[in-house]
Amino acid sequence: MVRLYYRDSLWSLVAGPTIWAVHFLFCYITAAIFCAKSADPVADFYVLKIAIGAATLIALIGIAVAGIQAVDDWRRALNAEWAVDENSLPIRRRFVGRAAFLLAGLSAVATIYVGMTVLFVSSCR
Amino acid sequence: MTDNETTTSREDREQLRKEQEDRLLTAWSAPKSWRYWSAVNNSEVGQWYTLTALGFLVFAGVSALIMRAQLAVPENDLVSPDLYNQLFTLHGSVMMFLFAVPILEAVAILLLPELLAARDLPFPRLSAFGFWCFLIGGVFVCGSIFFTAAPSGGWFMYPPLTTDPVQSGIGADIWLLGLSFIEIASIAAAVELIVGVLKFRAPGMRINLIPLYAWYTLVVGGMILFAFPPLIAGDILLEMERAFDWPFFDADRGGSPLLWQHLFWIFGHPEVYIIFLPGVALMAMIVPTFAQRPVVGYSWIVLAAVGTGFLSFGLWVHHMYTTGLPSVSLGFFSAASTAVAIPTAVQLFAFIATVMLGRVVRSVPMLFAAGALAIFVLGGLSGVMVAMAPFDWQAHDTYFVVAHLHYVLIGGMLFPVIAGVYYYFPFVTAKALSEKVGRIGFWLMFVGFNVAFLPMHFTGLRGMPRRVYTYPEGLGWDWLNLISTIGAFTLAAGFALIVIDILRPKGNQPYCERNPWNAGTLEWLEEMPDKPWGVRSIPVVKHRYPLWKDPDFIGKVDRGEFYLPDAQELRRETMVTSVLDAEPIQCLRVPGPSFLPMITAGFTGAAFIAATFHLYWPTLAAGILALASLLFWLWTGTAEIPEKDEKDVGFGLSLPLYQSGPQSVGWWAMFITMLGDAAAFASLIFAYFFYWTIRSDFPNDVTSEGALIYYALGVAAVVGTWLLTLGARYWNLTGAVFASRLAMVGAIVLALLSVAALLAGPYVDGLDPRLHAYPAIVWILALWTVGHIGIGAIMLAYCFARSLAGRLTPRYDIDICNVTLYWHFAAITGVLAPMLVALFPLAA
């Protein structure tokens, strides 16, 4: 499978939350610019909804990829034969994989929360 | 082997051990008499830092008691309205900036090296510098109230109140400059702690084995790095408006007071978690010890720490629900505010699970930890309430919010800190605090706290606004306020008991036994009383709780059976290891005692203080002296060329004494500092676009052709400087020293040209920063950019001089490597900022 980053790095840990952060910033900035600059924010609100919906979808796909990679790291390390000692490479990889997976999960939930806003709020005012 | 021989060899070993210990003592002992204040070791600096922060806590606590006394009855006239304003402003500011953040940095400076089995932090003199900055700035800010010149605009200093010089007086300047100075110290500490966690772990301590405290420290360091710079950017803008009338926050002249609220709360909300997470970190050390078992859900807690660190940056607008932002924007922040409850709860459940699965030993630290949990959960629940925008519209700026934030901060921070004080007191002084006093103190504090703050929820819902110095009778607030005041004094009585217990002389009291709580983590390796070397030999770590896993671990460390048991050259040495797996990569010599950090901090402080009183010549003079002492400090104390390439650290392992580039700690410190710098730059860019979204008259001018040419020249010169800097590093590395020096000189010349060109841009356009926010922000971006280029030029000149002096050579090239790294960031600033200010007005 295609790797976005080298397995042995702390980037895998922060991949999920970073995607959340980018998605969050995108939502905030897009909404701010839309509400300030749109000629008719009431009629055109659906444009913002589509933009944020699409961004949420893309972000979730990204988080899913990060999560799947993390599970892959975690499982592979679990199967390593010499994964007995707490102080061994496979155990460390398993930890990073598991923590990265948990963080991807949290990021997915938080991304859905933020994206869901446009289902309930349809106003710039 | 005869008995005789055994005795001899044992005597030999004893003899060797004694000699090793003598040498370690010589290297690590704190200086005596008046020179004691030149100490830079983490134990001394950590203790000064902690005590100073506790002193500021007492100061801010007393100001709270005066306020409570004033509010005890309606129509009270104990203090004047103006003094009341100063009291609540100082109470909030001091608690946040001079107690909550510094105490946790202080504790981390004190604990972190021992937790990781390192002998010191990577940059001891930087810690000392941070401490002296903190002390000077803190005394300056607090002292102002004795001249009734304290800031009085609330701890968040909202303009337009604070931009009006008549209404706010000099207090706002004291706040802006005094606290900016301390924020710089906080960032310095953050850099120190991040590099410490990443690079100073004992060999074998892989990323999955580090104590949870270190994980939290890493996360909090990262948060400080991205949270404080927006505030510093805001401080610059606000002080420019106050001192030079640049209208950043003046709605009449194209500015917006809301910009300050954004910048302040982009800092202010992560700040809450910057305060809370280190509190949880202390609990993460205390709970397993008293449950006598490893913490449950280590990776879940790491998830919580990292997750909270990120999510906390998406909450800032929940302080601004009532400012009229689009409701869809409020929705995003409301969503993130509720999401952050998830990781927060995860760590609390992990602690509860640890307690349930362990055999709990009753003790004062556990009592405070339990109290913290109860209080914090209540604060968290009222937090979910105010995260809902419609509820917040009702509760905003009432005592409900006062109650909520004190539940969060006292439960999340003060109680864990006191738990930590009881837990770590033997670690610092080798003496224990009184169990009995601790229990009485706890119950007074716990009951007092709830009596003081629980009623405030109701006072708030009954409509009492924050920050009023008095209230009329008969509104239903009278008895609630009286109860709050009684509670506040009960809380203070409990706290005073504990302070007395901390300060009482303990000369006759016996020392604690070693590892008094039977903990499993490395900081409890230390002897009672403590030896100055931190750790007798640097162990190989294979478990999260090595002291539990290996009963003879302490013995092995003591007998010097691990790395670096000796200091043959009488130097302070510790080990640098790799980020993920803690493989040894360097034997680092850290600097010893010096007055230079104190002197540099003194001059820096003088510059800030003189600027407060608008004495610009003394400011300039002090600034130049600060720069000179900084350069002298760097020249004499850093990037030292060792007498040999490698050193035997034990077990036949030889490690280099000098590393440059990404292997060196200096490179990491530069990288991390520049991330913070980039965050400040991004905040200024944010300000630019913020004006554009909310003001139709922004930009109110179009870049002229003449200015475009200057901007283009400036950008070209910046890129040229950057390329020549890269060349200087490359040629130096390949031995072409002359070419390298030539490139440095060329880079300096180009840098100066770019400064001239980038200032000429706005100048030929005739932009007057006092007329409108647009020219003001353009000038700020220009000044920010040329300031960075100027600093980069000084750095290049420093490298040039080092090269001439033979201190920067093809083999020993830390200086030019770090300066090149600086220039990567400076070049990004130097290209982006001019392009933005030149091209955006044409596009808009």
Side-chain angles (χ1 to χ4, degrees):
Chain A
M1 118 177 238
V2 185
R3 291 228 155 248
L4 293 180
Y5 37 78
Y6 186 46
R7 178 216 297 258
D8 276 339
S9 117
L10 283 181
W11 294 115
S12 62
L13 215 56
V14 295
T18 305
I19 296 172
W20 169 83
V22 171
H23 171 260
F24 183 82
L25 267 182
F26 174 84
C27 292
Y28 167 64
I29 292 171
T30 313
I33 293 177
F34 171 83
C35 289
K37 300 288 171 188
S38 166
D40 186 356
V42 180
D44 292 343
F45 202 83
Y46 73 96
V47 180
L48 183 66
K49 283 191 171 187
I50 293 172
I52 286 176
T56 307
L57 205 66
I58 295 168
L60 285 175
I61 293 171
I63 291 171
V65 171
I68 291 167
Q69 280 189 194
V71 173
D72 186 46
D73 283 354
W74 174 9
R75 278 225 308 268
R76 212 182 291 206
L78 210 59
N79 296 336
E81 282 176 19
W82 36 299
V84 281
D85 190 354
E86 213 181 325
N87 176 33
S88 67
L89 194 57
I91 296 286
R92 194 268 286 154
R93 285 186 172 152
R94 196 174 81 190
F95 161 76
V96 175
R98 183 163 52 194
F101 171 70
L102 293 175
L103 276 163
L106 175 67
S107 307
V109 173
T111 304
I112 293 170
Y113 269 34
V114 172
M116 259 178 8
T117 303
V118 288
L119 294 182
F120 301 112
V121 185
S122 306
S123 163
C124 280
R125 289 197 291 158
Chain B
M1 193 161 59
T2 66
D3 282 356
N4 216 359
E5 272 169 331
T6 325
T7 321
T8 326
S9 71
R10 190 182 301 139
E11 275 170 6
D12 283 352
R13 277 207 306 274
E14 283 301 314
Q15 178 65 24
L16 175 66
R17 192 172 154 184
K18 170 120 194 14
E19 284 171 15
Q20 287 181 341
E21 290 183 352
D22 284 345
R23 284 192 285 267
L24 280 170
L25 269 183
T26 316
W28 287 95
S29 288
K32 299 276 180 287
S33 76
W34 62 276
R35 287 185 175 276
Y36 171 73
W37 299 103
S38 69
V40 297
N41 185 248
N42 76 297
S43 338
E44 278 82 29
V45 175
Q47 284 182 42
W48 303 340
Y49 224 132
T50 312
L51 280 174
T52 312
L54 285 173
F56 287 129
L57 166 68
V58 171
F59 176 90
V62 169
S63 64
L65 290 179
I66 299 174
M67 285 191 283
R68 273 322 320 166
Q70 162 70 16
L71 292 176
V73 290
E75 315 274 5
N76 200 356
D77 58 357
L78 177 70
V79 295
S80 69
D82 185 48
L83 185 60
Y84 189 85
N85 290 347
Q86 297 186 20
L87 284 169
F88 73 67
T89 303
L90 270 192
H91 171 71
S93 307
V94 171
M95 282 295 190
M96 289 299 208
F97 292 101
L98 301 180
F99 170 61
V101 176
I103 187 95
L104 297 156
E105 286 168 346
V107 171
I109 287 173
L110 200 56
L111 288 183
L112 195 64
E114 330 277 328
L115 272 168
L116 306 174
R119 289 224 166 95
D120 205 334
L121 283 166
F123 312 104
R125 290 184 178 179
L126 185 65
S127 312
F129 174 73
F131 166 74
W132 293 113
C133 286
F134 166 60
L135 181 70
I136 296 167
V139 169
F140 176 59
V141 172
C142 290
S144 61
I145 198 166
F146 300 108
F147 303 90
T148 55
S152 57
W155 86 279
F156 30 63
M157 283 279 129
Y158 280 175
L161 174 64
T162 52
T163 43
D164 180 339
V166 180
Q167 293 225 35
S168 52
I170 192 134
D173 298 310
I174 291 174
W175 191 96
L176 287 165
L177 290 164
L179 295 180
S180 293
F181 180 49
I182 290 163
E183 284 147 24
I184 294 169
S186 289
I187 294 177
V191 170
E192 171 94 310
L193 297 172
I194 295 172
V195 179
V197 174
L198 292 178
K199 305 292 286 181
F200 264 46
R201 308 200 302 270
M205 191 190 272
R206 296 175 193 270
I207 200 93
N208 57 320
L209 299 182
I210 66 177
L212 283 171
Y213 187 88
W215 265 112
Y216 280 106
T217 306
L218 183 63
V219 171
V220 170
M223 292 170 69
I224 289 178
L225 212 56
F226 291 103
F228 276 65
L231 179 60
I232 293 177
D235 286 350
I236 294 173
L237 302 186
L238 188 45
E239 188 54 35
M240 290 304 278
E241 174 153 356
R242 289 184 55 89
F244 304 112
D245 198 26
W246 293 22
F248 293 108
F249 306 108
D250 181 354
D252 283 345
R253 288 181 284 164
S256 164
L258 264 195
L259 173 63
W260 169 262
Q261 295 200 21
H262 277 289
L263 291 176
F264 185 87
W265 290 115
I266 293 174
F267 146 80
H269 203 86
E271 159 92 344
V272 174
Y273 289 90
I274 289 171
I275 290 168
F276 165 62
L277 289 183
V280 190
L282 285 169
M283 308 232 295
M285 302 311 286
I286 292 169
V287 168
T289 296
F290 293 104
Q292 288 289 299
R293 59 153 292 135
V295 76
V296 174
Y298 180 91
S299 30
W300 286 88
I301 295 179
V302 173
L303 147 95
V306 179
T308 314
F310 272 86
L311 293 183
S312 68
F313 280 85
L315 314 178
W316 81 85
V317 164
H318 75 209
H319 297 267
M320 301 166 62
Y321 279 159
T322 57
T323 57
L325 294 180
S327 52
V328 62
S329 304
L330 301 188
F332 299 141
F333 288 91
S334 191
S337 304
T338 36
V340 80
I342 300 171
T344 308
V346 164
Q347 47 205 343
L348 302 186
F349 283 121
F351 295 151
I352 293 171
T354 309
V355 168
M356 285 173 72
L357 293 174
R359 287 170 293 110
V360 178
V361 182
R362 291 160 64 100
S363 66
V364 177
M366 271 308 259
L367 206 53
F368 274 98
L373 214 65
I375 293 174
F376 181 78
V377 167
L378 276 170
L381 293 175
S382 61
V384 177
M385 293 166 79
V386 284
M388 304 294 144
F391 180 85
D392 183 76
W393 291 332
Q394 304 305 315
H396 184 82
D397 253 346
T398 69
Y399 263 82
F400 187 90
V401 175
V402 178
H404 158 69
L405 77 93
H406 284 90
Y407 266 86
V408 171
L409 291 175
I410 292 186
M413 190 267 166
L414 185 66
F415 271 60
V417 163
I418 296 179
V421 167
Y422 271 86
Y423 183 61
Y424 281 119
F425 202 77
F427 169 83
V428 179
T429 65
K431 307 271 174 91
L433 287 172
S434 157
E435 184 92 13
K436 202 162 135 194
V437 174
R439 278 177 202 283
I440 300 171
F442 169 78
W443 285 111
L444 280 173
M445 283 184 73
F446 186 76
V447 172
F449 170 79
N450 283 294
V451 171
F453 289 95
L454 198 66
M456 284 187 196
H457 292 103
F458 305 106
T459 341
L461 292 176
R462 287 181 169 193
M464 179 161 166
R466 299 169 69 175
R467 298 184 285 271
V468 288
Y469 78 102
T470 193
Y471 51 93
E473 58 188 319
L475 292 176
W477 305 341
D478 313 15
W479 57 275
L480 285 169
N481 271 298
L482 186 61
I483 291 174
S484 286
T485 301
I486 294 168
F489 279 88
T490 316
L491 169 66
F495 184 74
L497 262 186
I498 291 167
V499 171
I500 293 168
D501 194 25
I502 292 171
L503 296 180
R504 83 187 146 83
K506 300 178 190 65
N508 299 328
Q509 194 177 325
Y511 288 117
C512 292
E513 56 185 294
R514 206 139 171 210
N515 191 5
W517 310 109
N518 188 23
T521 40
L522 292 169
E523 75 274 26
W524 296 104
L525 277 175
E526 77 160 30
E527 295 171 42
M528 302 278 168
D530 186 21
K531 292 287 197 324
W533 53 56
V535 57
R536 174 64 181 81
S537 60
I538 297 176
V540 178
V541 173
K542 294 182 173 170
H543 304 283
R544 283 185 192 145
Y545 299 92
L547 270 57
W548 284 342
K549 213 69 180 186
D550 179 358
D552 192 32
F553 196 77
I554 294 184
K556 288 178 193 161
V557 170
D558 277 1
R559 291 190 296 272
E561 289 176 16
F562 290 112
Y563 292 114
L564 280 178
D566 202 347
Q568 291 96 336
E569 299 91 8
L570 302 178
R571 298 293 307 267
R572 296 185 170 192
E573 287 163 336
T574 190
M575 274 165 97
V576 181
T577 53
S578 63
V579 172
L580 277 175
D581 290 314
E583 283 150 0
I585 49 181
Q586 187 187 357
C587 170
L588 182 75
R589 288 178 173 168
V590 292
S594 164
F595 279 109
L596 281 169
M598 188 204 277
I599 293 169
T600 313
F603 285 132
T604 318
F608 274 92
I609 290 169
T612 308
F613 298 102
H614 306 298
L615 304 168
Y616 296 115
W617 288 111
T619 304
L620 187 68
I624 291 171
L625 286 170
L627 178 67
S629 41
L630 180 68
L631 287 174
F632 182 70
W633 162 10
L634 291 173
W635 187 278
T636 51
T638 63
E640 180 197 348
I641 294 178
E643 77 285 354
K644 57 187 174 190
D645 265 1
E646 294 208 324
K647 171 166 173 139
D648 182 8
V649 293
F651 295 124
L653 178 67
S654 255
L655 288 179
L657 285 164
Y658 191 103
Q659 290 275 27
S660 62
Q663 296 285 357
S664 75
V665 286
W667 188 93
W668 279 83
M670 177 64 86
F671 181 68
I672 293 165
T673 310
M674 293 317 289
L675 283 181
D677 184 74
F681 179 59
S683 309
L684 293 178
I685 303 271
F686 169 84
Y688 188 96
F689 284 106
F690 177 79
Y691 287 132
W692 172 67
T693 56
I694 65 156
R695 303 281 314 201
S696 52
D697 57 347
F698 186 98
N700 72 348
D701 201 357
V702 180
T703 324
S704 69
E705 237 170 70
L708 273 179
I709 294 172
Y710 280 118
Y711 285 126
L713 282 175
V715 169
V718 169
V719 173
T721 314
W722 175 67
L723 288 172
L724 281 175
T725 309
L726 284 181
R729 184 186 63 178
Y730 173 77
W731 286 312
N732 179 64
L733 191 68
T734 53
V737 173
F738 183 74
S740 167
R741 287 176 191 161
L742 210 59
M744 289 176 200
V745 175
I748 295 168
V749 172
L750 274 185
L752 296 178
L753 284 177
S754 73
V755 167
L758 292 178
L759 290 177
Y763 182 78
V764 299
D765 262 346
L767 294 180
D768 183 345
R770 282 165 306 182
L771 291 182
H772 192 270
Y774 170 70
I777 191 80
V778 168
W779 272 110
I780 276 290
L781 282 167
L783 290 176
W784 178 268
T785 310
V786 301
H788 279 70
I789 295 171
I791 292 169
I794 294 175
M795 288 183 177
L796 284 163
Y798 177 83
C799 286
F800 182 69
R802 295 280 281 187
S803 179
L804 288 182
R807 287 165 186 256
L808 168 67
T809 67
R811 163 75 184 83
Y812 300 107
D813 61 347
I814 288 182
D815 295 319
I816 187 68
C817 284
N818 291 354
V819 168
T820 311
L821 180 58
Y822 174 89
W823 268 102
H824 292 332
F825 284 87
I828 293 172
T829 309
V831 171
L832 277 186
M835 279 174 59
L836 175 73
V837 298
L839 301 179
F840 188 76
L842 300 174

